């Protein structure tokens, strides 16, 4: 890699972007103008809001206890405009308020008999409009005698925001009135008024106000930062890739001495530079404006808001600024990869939303109350970085330092993966030089059929994976209501495994490829491979169990899930072992392997995409397990299975591994619920621990070592030249004129 | 000396409509120092694909291509240093002046300042670009842009120059100027590959031509050779006749015979020049 090329390209691109007025406006001018303007609008709206009054109509006020009036004057100090409806009002003549009922949610129940007996809610709504009130209050006859005998009927329409506000204000008012009423009654008796006083609290808060502010900001700002880092990265990225393709300048650069890798790095640095600038400018502008606006509010008496959103301490600002770098780096690389995929700037714009949707959950996660920096959260990209910056702002340096290696590694790894993707895009002729599609839909379908190969394409594989996930989502939802019994477990396992995992893969393999066997990578394995993989399944299980345990400790299962799993194990304990193994170990192993290490893997490992195949199938395999904890452990297991399947050339060995692994897990789980002890001859490996079967620590250590040896053995064995070999998208040696002769 | 050697070059694209599209079907030719080798063919014949492979922008599906004795697949870096590529698709940057653009590419070619600037002055003077040297690309006319592209391709003084439909959209004056530049470069001993679909240009410029149609070379040789072989003095007629023949369905036997004849012609031409 020639860094002087990277530097030259970087300098040129930055200069080019700086000369582009549109980019400069979005990136530099807009943030400086946006927040002051937004602040101005907010001030206006706040004023408007304060001046708003709600009107409450009261019918039958003459029945109100006269010694304790509800309304002081016509316009209340609490924004309430009272409206007394005279008793002789024609509108209310003959209306019985008890006949007015809230309409029933038609989505929940639709019983026509209820509606008929009531006064139509439309009539009541018309009444509200006629008296020009947001809420009507009916005071029943004889209310002054007993305020508890009959309820006051309050008719509102919660569809209107003013009506919502009116109800709130009315409730407060009635509450206050009631307290005073009680006080008056008590003061005239012997008990005295002190009895109704609530216990007094003197609150001492140890948090410094500016630190509390920092935490509030640290929840809001990462989100703002994400949006702007992505926007700041996205527009230059589109201009630098799709835009250059459109203008024809990319080819000029491609035939220059700069290599594709160098071009990508040069462009990436440019995009990152603008992304960071945009995010920083936005941060600064938003922070300054908010501080100024808040200080205005403090003059107006809104102390709470000022203490929550006032200016940040300088060092907290520093940590936030530091956070910009990993977020920008990650999204710049992603934006560049996505932008290089686009043929034109117009096509590029379409990709912004999906990218934003990927990024959103990652910044939303730290906003959930109670999510803190921990080994579990630190491995989530972006989330880990956000949580770490919060820990740093909070002054917990030791804690942050502890997770620094994980967060940094994850961030760098993600960036490198995205960069690798971008470079691959630049090296791919299909992506760089593809024209807009000329053919019609029917022609395309005919062609897909005619051009079928032995194995699916990468796109078909990814589509299959997504199809499986969607099927699983709806399948699990519809099967969710079933009672937990062995019959229902068998039924749902069959439906899910055969119908939602195996069927999409098999159908796609039949329709889209010439050879189903090759498409699902079914092959005759070498006996030695089977032996090694079989032993590996046994030796790796203790380590895997320990890992699953650790994951379970880190990400606690909900109480409901835990109790369901317990029930599950109990049910399994009551049925024959062979049927449990058959239904829950063999069937899922075959279906999942045929789908994930078979059809999905076959398409994804084309064109030297082994790493891509391992990563994507592992993630999809993980996601196909419904529970988060299982998703994590299954993803890791997916990585291993993917690697095994590359080393052994197909799915046979991974099916074996999967069957054995599932069987051992099931046996361990059900044996403990059956209450049986481990057989004496297994004493060296198993022990009973509080009624649960567990591995002895000796066997745990020993097995890990053996597993390592087996993995090394498998890694050094000559690879099988089987279906695993990636086929090129089109044959290397095109049969030309000469081969005819 | 053969600066460009193309042997059995094939290039296929996956294509949505036709499954696999053969853009180049087994083409072979050589181009030498001090000659203008013309690739003549209608639009979509595969000229651009062939030249993009020469410029290492695309990878060949099969066959070997050597430029200045470097292989385009294994020694792409060296190849890129030995060529100047001017194409209809190699546009110039809108927000960069002529001077800045040429300077930028000069630096990418790692020319030291003391070589870069004198060379830039020389090229700008020679191509009469001095009056618009600080004009941004967006404000230039097509002719100006083409001159900047040529200056960009010449800055590192490459032995091989590739012009792909370079005269497209140029007015007579600029097209003439381009032709004189090309002839000048040939006289300096450069090897020039010149693709076009305009007959007149071929007649004026090219020492030898290959007629390309539907990814195949229909015939190759000097203009005199071609008119002798096809008994046609009007070159446009000759071209049209060849293309019509290329459209007719042919048996594998015919194709083979054609190919043998073509190879024989190639060898003869080579011998004649050497």
């Amino acid at each position: 890699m020639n860094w002087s090329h990277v530097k030259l390209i970087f300098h040129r691109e930055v200069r080019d972007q700086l000369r582009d007025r549109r980019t400069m406006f979005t990136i530099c001018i807009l943030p400086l103008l946006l927040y002051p303007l937004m602040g101005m609008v907010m001030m206006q709206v706040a004023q408007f809001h304060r001046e708003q009054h709600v009107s409450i109509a009261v019918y039958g006020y003459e029945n109100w206890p006269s010694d304790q009036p509800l309304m002081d004057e016509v316009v209340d100090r609490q924004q309430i405009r009272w409206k007394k409806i005279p008793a002789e009002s024609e509108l209310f003549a003959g209306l019985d308020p008890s006949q007015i009922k809230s309409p029933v949610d038609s989505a929940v129940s639709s019983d026509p008999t209820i509606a008929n007996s009531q006064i139509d809610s439309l009539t009541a709504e018309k009444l509200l409009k006629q008296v020009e009130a947001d809420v009507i209050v009916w005071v029943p006859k004889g209310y002054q005698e007993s305020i508890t005998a009959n309820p006051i009927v309050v008719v509102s329409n919660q569809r209107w925001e003013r009506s919502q506000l009116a109800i709130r204000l009315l409730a407060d008012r009635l509450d206050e009135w009631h307290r005073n009423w009680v006080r008056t009654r008590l003061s005239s008796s012997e008990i005295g008024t002190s009895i109704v006083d609530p216990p007094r609290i003197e609150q001492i808060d140890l948090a410094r106000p500016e630190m509390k502010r920092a935490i509030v900001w640290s929840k809001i700002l990462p989100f703002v930062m994400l949006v702007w880092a992505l926007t700041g990265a996205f527009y230059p990225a589109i201009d630098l890739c799709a835009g250059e393709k459109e203008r024809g300048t990319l080819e000029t650069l491609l035939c220059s001495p700069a290599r594709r890798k160098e071009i990508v790095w040069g462009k990436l640095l440019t995009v990152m530079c603008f992304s960071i600038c945009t995010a920083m400018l936005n941060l600064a502008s938003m922070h300054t404006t908010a501080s100024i606006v808040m200080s205005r509010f403090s003059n107006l008496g809104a102390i709470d808001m000022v203490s929550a959103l006032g200016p940040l301490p300088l060092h907290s600002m520093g940590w936030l600024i530091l956070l910009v770098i990993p977020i920008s780096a990650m999204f710049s690389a992603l934006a560049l990869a996505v932008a290089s995929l686009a043929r034109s700037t117009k096509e590029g714009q379409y990709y912004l939303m999906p990218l934003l949707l990927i990024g959103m959950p990652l910044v939303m996660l730290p906003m959930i109350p109670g999510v803190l920096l921990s080994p579990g959260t630190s491995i989530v990209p972006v989330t880990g970085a956000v949580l770490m910056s919060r820990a740093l702002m909070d002054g917990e340096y030791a804690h942050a330092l502890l997770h620094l290696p994980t967060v940094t590694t994850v961030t760098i790894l993600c960036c490198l993966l995205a960069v690798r993707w971008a470079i691959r895009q630049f090296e791919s002729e299909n992506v760089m030089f593809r024209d807009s599609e000329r053919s019609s839909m029917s022609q395309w379908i005919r062609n897909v059929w005619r051009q079928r190969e032995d194995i699916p394409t990468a796109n078909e594989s990814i589509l299959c994976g997504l199809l499986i996930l969607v099927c699983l989502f709806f399948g699990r939802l519809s099967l969710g209501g079933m009672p937990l019994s062995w019959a229902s477990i068998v039924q749902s396992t069959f439906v899910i495994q055969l119908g939602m995992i195996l069927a999409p893969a098999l159908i796609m393999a039949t329709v889209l490829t010439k050879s189903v066997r090759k498409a699902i990578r079914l092959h005759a394995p070498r006996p030695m491979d089977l032996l090694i993989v079989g032993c590996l399944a046994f030796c790796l299980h203790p380590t895997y169990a320990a890992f699953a345990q650790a994951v379970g400790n880190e990400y606690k299962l909900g109480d409901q899930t835990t109790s369901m799993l317990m029930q599950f194990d109990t049910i399994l304990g009551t049925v024959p072992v062979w049927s449990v193994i058959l239904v829950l170990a063999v069937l899922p192993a075959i279906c999942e392997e045929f789908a994930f290490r078979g059809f999905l893997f076959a398409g994804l490992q084309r064109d030297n995409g082994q790493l891509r195949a391992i990563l994507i199938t592992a993630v999809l395999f993980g996601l196909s397990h419904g529970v988060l904890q299982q998703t994590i452990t299954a993803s890791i297991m997916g990585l291993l299975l993917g690697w095994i399947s590359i080393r052994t050339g197909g799915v046979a060995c991974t099916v074996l591994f999967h069957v054995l692994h599932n069987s051992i897990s099931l046996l361990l789980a059900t044996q403990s619920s059956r209450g049986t002890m481990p057989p004496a001859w297994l004493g060296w490996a198993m022990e009973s621990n509080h009624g649960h079967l567990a591995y002895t620590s000796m066997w745990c250590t020993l097995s890990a070592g053996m597993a390592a040896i087996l993995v090394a053995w498998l890694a050094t064995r000559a690879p099988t030249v089987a279906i695993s070999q990636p086929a090129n998208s089109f044959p290397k040696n095109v049969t030309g004129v000469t081969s005819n002769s | 000396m053969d600066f460009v050697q193309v042997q059995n070059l094939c290039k296929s694209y996956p294509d949505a409509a036709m499954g696999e599209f053969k853009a180049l079907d087994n083409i072979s030719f050589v181009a030498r120092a001090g000659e203008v080798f013309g690739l003549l063919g209608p639009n979509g014949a595969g000229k651009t694909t062939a030249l993009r492979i020469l410029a290492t922008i695309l990878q060949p599906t099969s066959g070997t291509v050597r430029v200045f004795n470097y292989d385009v697949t294994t020694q792409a870096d060296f190849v890129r240093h030995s060529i100047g590529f001017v194409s209809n698709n190699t546009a110039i940057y809108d927000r960069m002046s002529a001077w800045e653009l040429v300077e930028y590419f000069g630096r990418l070619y790692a020319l030291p300042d003391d070589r870069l600037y004198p060379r830039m002055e020389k090229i700008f003077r020679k191509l009469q670009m001095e009056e618009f040297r600080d004009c941004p690309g967006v404000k230039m006319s097509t002719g100006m842009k083409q001159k900047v592209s040529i200056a960009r391709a010449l800055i590192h003084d490459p032995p091989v120059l590739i012009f792909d439909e370079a005269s497209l959209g140029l007015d007579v004056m600029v097209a003439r100027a381009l032709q004189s530049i090309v002839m000048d470069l040939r006289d300096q001993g450069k090897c020039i590959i010149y693709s076009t679909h305009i007959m007149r240009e071929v007649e004026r410029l090219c020492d030898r031509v290959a007629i390309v149609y539907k990814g195949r070379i229909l015939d190759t040789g000097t203009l005199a050779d071609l008119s002798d072989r096809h008994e046609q003095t009007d070159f446009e007629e000759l071209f049209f006749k060849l293309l019509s023949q290329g459209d007719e369905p042919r048996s594998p036997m015919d194709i083979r015979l054609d190919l043998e004849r073509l190879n024989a012609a190639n060898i003869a031409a080579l011998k004649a020049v050497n």
Side-chain angles (χ1 to χ4, degrees), chain A residues 15 36 39 68 76 169 208 442 473 526 545 609 615 647 664 678:
Chain A
R15 191 167 55 174
Q68 188 95 33
D76 201 87
L169 292 173
R208 288 203 308 275
S442 63
F473 173 73
R526 293 184 295 188
L615 289 179
R647 295 305 306 175
I664 302 169

Side-chain angles (χ1 to χ4, degrees), chain A residues 593-611:
Chain A
E593 289 311 311
F594 280 10
F596 290 102
R597 251 66 58 185
F599 188 80
L600 263 70
F601 211 92
L604 288 167
Q605 72 162 349
R606 273 166 171 264
D607 306 325
N608 277 325
Q610 277 93 343
L611 182 66

Side-chain angles (χ1 to χ4, degrees), chain A residues 180-236:
Chain A
N180 290 337
W181 184 79
V182 172
R183 259 169 218 283
T184 339
R185 295 288 174 285
L186 284 176
S187 61
S188 56
S189 73
E190 289 166 8
I191 304 168
T193 57
S194 63
I195 187 167
V196 286
D197 288 335
R200 284 178 47 199
I201 308 168
E202 201 182 318
Q203 210 179 351
I204 300 163
D205 185 4
L206 295 178
R208 288 203 308 275
E210 70 267 21
M211 291 313 283
K212 279 200 290 189
R213 273 205 296 269
I215 294 303
V216 173
W217 277 114
S218 77
K219 292 210 170 190
I220 305 170
L221 288 183
F223 180 72
V224 179
M225 229 145 63
L226 165 88
V227 172
W228 285 109
L230 195 55
T231 316
F234 204 75
Y235 289 103

Side-chain angles (χ1 to χ4, degrees), chain A residues 162-177:
Chain A
R162 286 170 59 94
S163 205
Q164 288 173 17
L165 179 65
I167 282 281
R168 255 198 327 272
L169 292 173
L170 179 69
D172 289 350
R173 198 65 226 277
L174 282 172
D175 222 31
E176 192 191 334
W177 175 85

Side-chain angles (χ1 to χ4, degrees), chain A residues 397-413:
Chain A
Y397 301 113
H399 185 60
L401 201 66
L402 187 69
H403 294 290
L404 182 68
T406 341
V407 174
T408 325
T409 316
V410 168
T411 309
I412 291 177
L413 213 66

Side-chain angles (χ1 to χ4, degrees), chain B residues 5 13 89 93 104 131 138 185 190 242 249 252 267:
Chain B
Q5 297 159 304
Y13 297 112
N89 301 309
Y93 293 107
Y104 170 55
E131 68 259 44
V138 72
L185 288 166
K190 310 263 180 211
L242 268 174
I267 292 162

Side-chain angles (χ1 to χ4, degrees), chain A residues 15 43 161 172 210 226 233 237 282 291 310 317 338 373 498 501 541 543 607 629 696 723:
Chain A
R15 191 167 55 174
M43 301 273 253
E161 279 187 5
D172 289 350
E210 70 267 21
L226 165 88
N282 272 284
S291 312
M317 199 68 190
V338 166
L373 188 63
L498 290 176
I501 295 178
H541 195 267
T543 315
D607 306 325
Q629 292 74 10
T696 56
I723 318 156

Side-chain angles (χ1 to χ4, degrees), chain B residues 226-244:
Chain B
L226 289 178
S227 49
D228 280 356
R229 206 154 38 231
H230 299 277
E231 291 153 0
Q232 182 60 261
T233 44
D234 182 16
F235 200 67
E236 193 159 332
E237 277 300 317
L238 192 155
F239 181 57
F240 188 71
K241 193 177 134 201
L242 268 174
L243 296 198
S244 321

